[in-house]
């Protein structure tokens, strides 16, 4: 066998046998769910002005726009106040449950519904961070984002331990959740509420049918082959979505950098000065004055921003350079959150950048969190060895996990 054929076979095996980047995917899940949850909580007093039926962008104007572009939003199913409050609360609750990794597969779908419903209701509200969150909420549906650092992983570990003791494990929550959501999806379909663009309705129905297929194969299949086949398909979708997330992050930085290169203020090294002196982007005027007091500092920040954004996609070929530049970009977003008063934009970009963090770093970070938790809550100790904790299921859909119960 030639080297090329051998390398190709190894690559195919790696893509199909496991869901890659479990820790990176978990960080993305936590990052975007946390960002959206914090935004909803902060804007709760202003929710009416942002997305309410009586807001500046009225329900009738939104209806005309949605009718023209076919975008999906559950807020257009009714103009009642109770329905608006229900969708807003659902968006917040699904974000919280996705953050902790409870029924990650189902919550990722509900998280996407919440994000699309609110953002598409008032498309002129938000900034670049909302665009990133909009796309990532769709990509997360295709990932197995609950492999580690989630309640799903803990439930899967406890189920394996129970089966090892000879106990029968049955999941009743999953089928109930599947049935309730299925009835709701059927109702809105029959009532014609999903008559816009076909993509989101098709994705919702596909996710619901796939969940049923997982359950049927897990409970009724006489051999392991059907379960293995479904696991392979899920791994391919996960790895493909992870690749798309990486490409999306690179595309964001590359286009932003090259557009900046064409601007005259970026070319002469003064572009950073101007947003720091706009009232809208100056929550700390004294800090902005301090940063722009030196012309050399302004020039370094301007050229440094362009250089990092243009160079970032090319640094992926060198791990050490990539890690250094990644740390610099995360620091830059943290500075933007404080100096320009754009916390949610910065959080969304940091969450997107997290897909490139080294696995060793994330594992070490997880170990530190566990040690801190044990010190704060000494009674809350995990009764398995540390080595087992590190290996908690990296593949949540392993055949031995899918043949018992229902994974929602």
């Amino acid at each position: 066998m030639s080297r090329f054929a051998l390398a190709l076979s190894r690559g195919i095996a790696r893509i199909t046998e496991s869901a890659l980047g479990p820790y990176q995917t978990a960080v993305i899940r936590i990052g975007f769910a946390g960002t959206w949850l914090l935004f909803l909580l902060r804007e709760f007093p202003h929710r009416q002005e942002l997305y309410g039926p009586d807001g500046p962008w009225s329900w009738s104007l939104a209806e005309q726009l949605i009718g023209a572009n076919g975008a999906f939003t559950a807020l257009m199913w009714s103009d009642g106040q109770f329905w608006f409050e229900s969708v807003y609360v659902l968006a917040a609750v699904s974000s919280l449950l996705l953050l902790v990794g409870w029924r990650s597969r189902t919550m990722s779908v509900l998280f996407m519904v919440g994000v699309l419903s609110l953002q598409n209701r008032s498309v002129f509200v938000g900034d670049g961070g909302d665009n990133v969150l909009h796309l990532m909420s769709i990509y997360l549906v295709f990932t197995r984002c609950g492999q580690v650092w989630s309640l799903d992983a803990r439930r899967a570990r406890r189920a394996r331990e129970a089966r090892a003791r000879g106990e029968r494990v049955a999941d009743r929550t999953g089928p109930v959740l599947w049935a309730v959501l299925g009835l709701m999806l059927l109702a809105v379909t029959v009532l014609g509420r999903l008559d816009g663009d076909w993509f989101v309705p098709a994705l919702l129905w596909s996710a619901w049918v796939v969940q049923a297929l997982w359950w049927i194969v897990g409970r009724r299949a006489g051999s392991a082959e059907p379960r293995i086949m479904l696991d392979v398909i899920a791994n391919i979708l996960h790895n493909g979505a992870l690749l798309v997330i990486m490409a999306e992050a690179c595309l964001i930085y590359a286009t932003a950098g090259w557009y900046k290169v064409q601007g005259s203020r970026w070319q002469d090294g003064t572009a950073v000065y101007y947003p720091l002196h706009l009232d809208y982007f100056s929550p700390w005027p004294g800090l902005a004055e301090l940063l722009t007091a030196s012309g050399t500092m302004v020039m370094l920040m301007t050229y440094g921003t362009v250089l990092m954004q243009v160079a970032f996609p090319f640094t992926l070929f060198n791990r050490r350079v990539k890690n250094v530049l990644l740390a610099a970009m995360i620091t830059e977003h943290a500075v933007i959150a404080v100096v320009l008063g754009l916390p949610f934009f910065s959080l969304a970009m940091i969450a997107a950048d997290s897909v490139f963090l080294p696995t060793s770093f994330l594992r070490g970070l997880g170990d530190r969190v566990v040690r801190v938790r044990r010190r704060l809550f000494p009674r809350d100790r995990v009764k398995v060895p540390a080595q087992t904790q590190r290996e908690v299921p990296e593949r949540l859909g392993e055949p031995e996990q899918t043949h018992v119960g229902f994974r929602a």
Side-chain angles (χ1 to χ4, degrees), residues 136 139 238-250:
M136 295 301 176
Y139 301 153
H238 167 92
N239 296 329
L242 196 61
L243 179 63
V244 171
I245 292 174
M246 293 180 175
E248 187 73 38
C250 291

Side-chain angles (χ1 to χ4, degrees), residues 251-270:
L251 184 62
I252 290 172
Y253 285 121
T255 53
W258 286 110
Y259 271 113
K260 286 182 175 66
V261 169
Q262 303 174 42
S264 59
R265 294 294 177 264
W266 291 97
Q267 293 175 7
D268 61 27
T270 62

Side-chain angles (χ1 to χ4, degrees), residues 20-142:
L20 303 177
Y23 293 93
Q24 288 81 358
T25 314
V27 172
I28 293 173
R29 182 197 85 233
I30 295 170
F32 284 108
T35 299
W36 184 238
L37 177 62
L38 291 175
F39 174 80
L40 294 178
L41 293 178
R42 192 196 72 169
E43 299 299 340
F44 186 80
H46 313 106
R47 64 192 184 282
Q48 297 291 342
E49 291 78 10
L50 292 175
Y51 309 112
D54 298 326
W57 187 251
S58 65
W59 195 85
S60 59
L61 290 175
E63 187 178 34
Q64 296 178 35
L65 182 61
I66 297 301
N69 59 24
F72 171 85
T73 170
L75 286 178
M76 300 310 299
W77 298 350
S78 172
D79 60 350
Q81 184 64 31
F82 176 78
W83 177 247
F84 164 72
E85 300 289 356
S86 300
V87 173
Y88 197 95
V89 172
L90 173 65
V93 172
S94 62
S95 301
L96 176 61
L97 295 178
L98 182 62
L99 174 68
V100 299
W102 186 81
R103 307 287 171 174
S104 302
R105 195 174 297 273
T106 298
M107 289 306 120
S108 65
V109 176
L110 295 180
F111 175 75
M112 178 195 70
V113 170
V115 171
L116 298 184
S117 295
L118 292 175
Q119 290 190 353
N120 288 337
R121 167 62 177 83
S122 299
V123 294
F124 302 109
V125 175
D127 50 34
D130 293 302
N131 295 331
V132 175
L133 187 63
H134 190 106
L135 295 172
M136 295 301 176
S137 67
I138 299 175
Y139 301 153
L140 274 174
V141 175
F142 297 94

Side-chain angles (χ1 to χ4, degrees), residues 347-370:
L347 285 175
M349 293 308 303
I350 290 174
D353 293 341
S354 300
V355 72
F356 300 106
L357 289 174
T359 300
S360 58
F361 170 78
L362 294 176
R363 281 184 169 180
L365 182 62
D367 292 340
R368 294 188 187 95
V369 172
V370 171

